[in-house]
Amino acid sequence: MKIKLLPVLLMSCIVVATPLSVFAADTQKAEPQFAHTAAENETLGLKAAQKNDMTTAQLYFSKAFEIDPSMFTSARFAAVIAAETGDVDAAFAWLERAYQAKMTNVNQIRNSKNFEKLHADPRWAPLVKKFEAAEQAEKEFWDGKQWTGSYKAKLSEDERVAGLSKIWSEIKFNFAFPEKLQSLQWDQLYLQYLPKVRAAKDNVAYYQTLMEMVALLKDGHTNVYPPEEELDMFYAKPKILTELIEGRVILRQVGDAQLQKAGISAGDEVLAVNGLPVRLYMEKNIAPFVSSPTPQDMDVRLYQYGFLIGKAGESLTLTLQKQSGETVTQAVKRAPYKDRLSSGVANYELVMRDDGIAVVTLGSFGNFEVAKAFIDDFSKISSAKALILDVRTNGGGSGNVGFEILRTLANGSFTAARATVRNYRAASRIHNNVNKEYTYPQLTISPNPTLHFNGPVVVLAGGQTFSAAEDFVVAFKNMKRGKVIGGLTAGSTGQPLGFTLPGGGEARVCTKNDSYPDGTAFVGTGIVPDILSVQTLQDLRRKTDTVLELAVAELTAQMK
């Protein structure tokens, strides 16, 4: 009998970063050959489960838990098998072991279809309540009510110091790049910023102080955010969209009525703000508070996402140059945060060109609907002569969304980025051996068994390609299915840990260091494209996409 537990094991495997390569077809030995470590035995158990050899899988999971009783994932996998094979008592026993091993993700118990057979048992409800209580206690320990109170328009000095202290602590113990903390002398930096947060005259000054300190880490996934109630104090901006092109701040969209009335339009240039050269204004007033890992990412954050951000309603004087050469001066006001202009870039869009090239815009990996839309359109995409995947405006989300798309292009299994985290153990400090790291087993992804695009492929990337979108580019390069065309990516990915601050603020810290499988870094530098190309000002004014046209030319040459 083939039981339906494999999807759950696969999903759990992804969550705990067990490599998908373990599901490759190996010949199952008649007798289990146990490995030395718990992790290796758990991996072997997943292999056996893939072959529907549940008896052997259970032995491996049991061995893993015997070696390492903190391995609650193995206990849960064993509980899944016991429940699906009808051994209810064993299932409850394994779930109790998972609880004792401090498993606190109650959703993996309560919402799992694999445990539906246990729901009618009188032991089920009390067990779920135990897991719920444990999860709540864990949350309270790390981010308790003292941190999650309601919004406060004026924080006390003690609350400001507490917020700084929490940021200092969370980053010291969780930041994925301890060498940066050592270089910055993180403890000394904390002492330097204590008087600054004490002296902060209001919430704006306080949060800017926190942002300034965290920005010194130069990490795009380590940030401080003000309360939602104060977004208009920080992130309001005029109704314009801009981009840094050839070192010049160029308007891409104009929604401000006064600028429109003055004849200002897309393609015109911003020369100065309040009498200061525009780049000097941004570097002086905005850049110190921006967490950014690379020059190309900083350019995006300053001149696209955060151009002229500040307090809503404030007036700014812009000096602009029209395409005709005429220079004009015009006052503009920052619109409220909720009224900011949208870039209009779709999360997903398919364009079938007349030349037979399919262009798929992947504007976000924040929702699995993006992968679903690609799969739904695959019959159209597969009819194309060549394919362009555009992630130039993709700010990330979940790597699994992108991998699901790449699976349809793969000629064989391919590797994703290598993931390394801090492995702090308090007792190791006794021997001055604190900043140990753990590298997860290499994630290897199998091709889609039924859908395959065999034609030439190009990926477009650039400075806005960030986080999970960079993981996508790394995996694509590892596939060797085509070229990456465009600019350097942002150079920031990893798993951020979010936490709250007194009075409604929030912060996050990057906890994972991703790299190429051989350990080559791209965080802090960006992924280098195979063919470097950036938008030119001349093409922008002609409404021509420089990078896209180069990609089309590259694919056209391949199709001949």
Side-chain angles (χ1 to χ4, degrees), residues 292-308:
S292 178
T294 60
Q296 63 271 19
D297 177 73
M298 180 64 86
D299 286 346
V300 167
R301 293 178 184 275
L302 290 183
Y303 302 107
Q304 289 179 247
Y305 302 151
F307 187 61
L308 304 181

Side-chain angles (χ1 to χ4, degrees), residues 489-505:
T489 63
S492 179
T493 191
Q495 186 66 48
L497 168 67
F499 52 95
T500 54
L501 302 173

Side-chain angles (χ1 to χ4, degrees), residues 146-159:
Q146 63 271 27
W147 303 109
T148 57
S150 59
Y151 166 67
K152 294 187 69 172
K154 179 68 174 177
L155 292 168
S156 69
E157 181 178 315
D158 285 348
E159 287 169 326

Side-chain angles (χ1 to χ4, degrees), residues 3 5 9 45 49 54-55 57-58 61 76-87 115:
I3 62 177
L5 82 133
L9 290 182
M54 300 307 157
T55 300
Q58 192 74 307
F61 294 142
R76 181 169 62 85
F77 288 153
V80 167
I81 291 177
E84 288 285 5
T85 53
D87 193 343
F115 297 128

Side-chain angles (χ1 to χ4, degrees), residues 32 45 48 66 69 98 118 163 222 224 248 277 287 293 301 340 360 415 431 433 446 456 472 476 493 550:
E66 176 188 327
L118 308 183
T222 304
V224 174
R248 300 157 70 179
R301 293 178 184 275
R340 288 161 55 123
V360 178
T415 54
H431 307 290
N433 193 13
S446 61
F472 176 90
F476 178 76
T493 191
L550 179 59

Side-chain angles (χ1 to χ4, degrees), residues 241-473:
L241 297 180
T242 55
E243 183 176 352
L244 192 68
I245 300 177
E246 298 175 4
R248 300 157 70 179
V249 181
I250 305 299
L251 293 167
R252 299 214 61 159
Q253 186 176 338
V254 179
D256 181 87
Q258 294 302 314
L259 291 179
Q260 291 173 345
K261 189 175 180 179
I264 301 300
S265 61
D268 294 347
E269 181 180 359
V270 182
L271 299 177
V273 182
N274 293 345
L276 283 177
V278 59
R279 298 191 67 173
L280 179 60
Y281 174 89
M282 292 300 294
E283 288 163 8
K284 178 181 178 181
N285 293 284
I286 311 297
F289 313 113
V290 176
S291 297
S292 178
T294 60
Q296 63 271 19
D297 177 73
M298 180 64 86
D299 286 346
V300 167
R301 293 178 184 275
L302 290 183
Y303 302 107
Q304 289 179 247
Y305 302 151
F307 187 61
L308 304 181
I309 58 173
K311 184 179 179 180
E314 283 188 345
S315 184
L316 302 164
T317 301
L318 304 187
T319 304
L320 306 108
Q321 187 174 65
K322 297 181 180 181
Q323 295 177 55
S324 64
E326 178 189 0
T327 300
V328 298
T329 300
Q330 180 64 51
V332 295
K333 284 188 176 181
R334 296 191 184 101
Y337 178 79
K338 65 181 179 61
D339 295 331
R340 288 161 55 123
L341 283 183
S342 169
S343 66
V345 176
N347 286 345
Y348 174 86
E349 184 180 35
L350 167 64
V351 175
M352 301 294 293
R353 292 169 53 103
D354 292 339
D355 56 12
I357 298 174
V359 180
V360 178
T361 298
L362 303 170
S364 171
F365 291 144
N367 192 309
F368 209 82
E369 290 299 314
V370 172
K372 183 179 183 299
F374 183 89
I375 298 301
D376 289 345
D377 279 342
F378 194 78
S379 60
K380 298 177 186 177
I381 294 168
S382 62
S383 69
K385 297 177 182 177
L387 175 62
I388 295 174
L389 298 174
D390 188 351
V391 293
R392 285 178 293 173
T393 59
N394 192 317
S398 169
N400 291 332
V401 176
F403 299 154
E404 190 66 19
I405 293 168
L406 290 178
R407 293 181 68 213
T408 67
L409 314 178
N411 294 323
S413 294
F414 59 97
T415 54
R418 188 171 83 169
T420 300
V421 297
R422 297 267 295 273
N423 191 24
Y424 174 80
R425 299 190 179 197
S428 297
R429 291 178 62 182
I430 299 168
H431 307 290
N432 297 317
N433 193 13
V434 180
N435 289 318
K436 284 287 189 180
E437 295 180 334
Y438 172 74
T439 298
Y440 288 101
Q442 179 62 59
L443 177 61
T444 303
I445 304 161
S446 61
N448 188 301
T450 57
L451 304 178
H452 184 251
F453 181 82
N454 197 40
V457 186
V458 158
V459 166
L460 307 185
Q464 287 180 266
T465 307
F466 184 81
S467 194
E470 293 185 272
D471 296 332
F472 176 90
V473 176

Side-chain angles (χ1 to χ4, degrees), residues 47-274:
K47 280 187 177 182
Q50 163 69 8
K51 299 173 182 303
N52 209 41
D53 185 354
M54 300 307 157
T55 300
T56 301
Q58 192 74 307
L59 290 171
Y60 279 125
F61 294 142
S62 298
K63 188 65 174 180
F65 193 78
E66 176 188 327
I67 294 171
D68 183 357
S70 70
M71 202 85 165
F72 60 78
T73 51
S74 291
R76 181 169 62 85
F77 288 153
V80 167
I81 291 177
E84 288 285 5
T85 53
D87 193 343
V88 173
D89 289 341
F92 275 105
W94 278 113
L95 286 173
E96 179 63 30
R97 293 186 184 104
Y99 171 79
Q100 295 297 333
K102 301 189 183 301
M103 177 181 174
T104 55
N105 189 339
V106 68
N107 285 333
Q108 291 183 348
I109 304 298
R110 183 176 53 207
N111 300 335
S112 172
K113 292 184 179 180
N114 295 108
F115 297 128
E116 287 181 348
K117 296 176 182 178
L118 308 183
H119 290 186
D121 192 289
R123 291 171 288 184
W124 176 254
L127 180 70
V128 170
K129 286 184 178 180
K130 283 174 60 175
F131 274 101
E132 289 173 341
E135 182 177 87
Q136 185 59 35
E138 190 80 0
K139 288 179 179 178
E140 283 290 324
F141 178 78
W142 293 110
D143 221 9
K145 293 177 181 177
Q146 63 271 27
W147 303 109
T148 57
S150 59
Y151 166 67
K152 294 187 69 172
K154 179 68 174 177
L155 292 168
S156 69
E157 181 178 315
D158 285 348
E159 287 169 326
R160 296 197 301 273
V161 170
L164 172 69
S165 301
K166 188 169 189 187
I167 288 173
W168 165 79
S169 175
E170 292 284 9
I171 289 176
K172 179 168 184 173
F173 288 97
N174 297 309
F175 188 52
F177 307 93
E179 66 280 0
K180 283 190 177 183
L181 301 178
Q182 293 166 340
S183 176
L184 285 169
Q185 296 184 302
W186 189 243
D187 289 353
Q188 182 61 35
L189 205 63
Y190 168 74
L191 295 175
Q192 290 174 11
Y193 272 82
L194 270 172
K196 294 182 180 182
V197 300
R198 287 194 177 109
K201 64 182 186 299
D202 54 28
N203 282 8
V204 172
Y206 170 62
Y207 283 107
Q208 284 183 333
T209 301
L210 298 182
M211 292 174 184
E212 181 184 78
M213 184 179 90
V214 169
L216 296 173
L217 294 169
K218 298 185 184 299
D219 183 82
H221 285 76
T222 304
N223 315 84
V224 174
Y225 304 104
E228 185 176 349
E229 292 83 354
E230 296 192 2
L231 293 180
D232 276 345
M233 300 296 292
F234 291 87
Y235 300 127
K237 59 183 295 189
K239 288 189 174 183
I240 55 175
L241 297 180
T242 55
E243 183 176 352
L244 192 68
I245 300 177
E246 298 175 4
R248 300 157 70 179
V249 181
I250 305 299
L251 293 167
R252 299 214 61 159
Q253 186 176 338
V254 179
D256 181 87
Q258 294 302 314
L259 291 179
Q260 291 173 345
K261 189 175 180 179
I264 301 300
S265 61
D268 294 347
E269 181 180 359
V270 182
L271 299 177
V273 182
N274 293 345

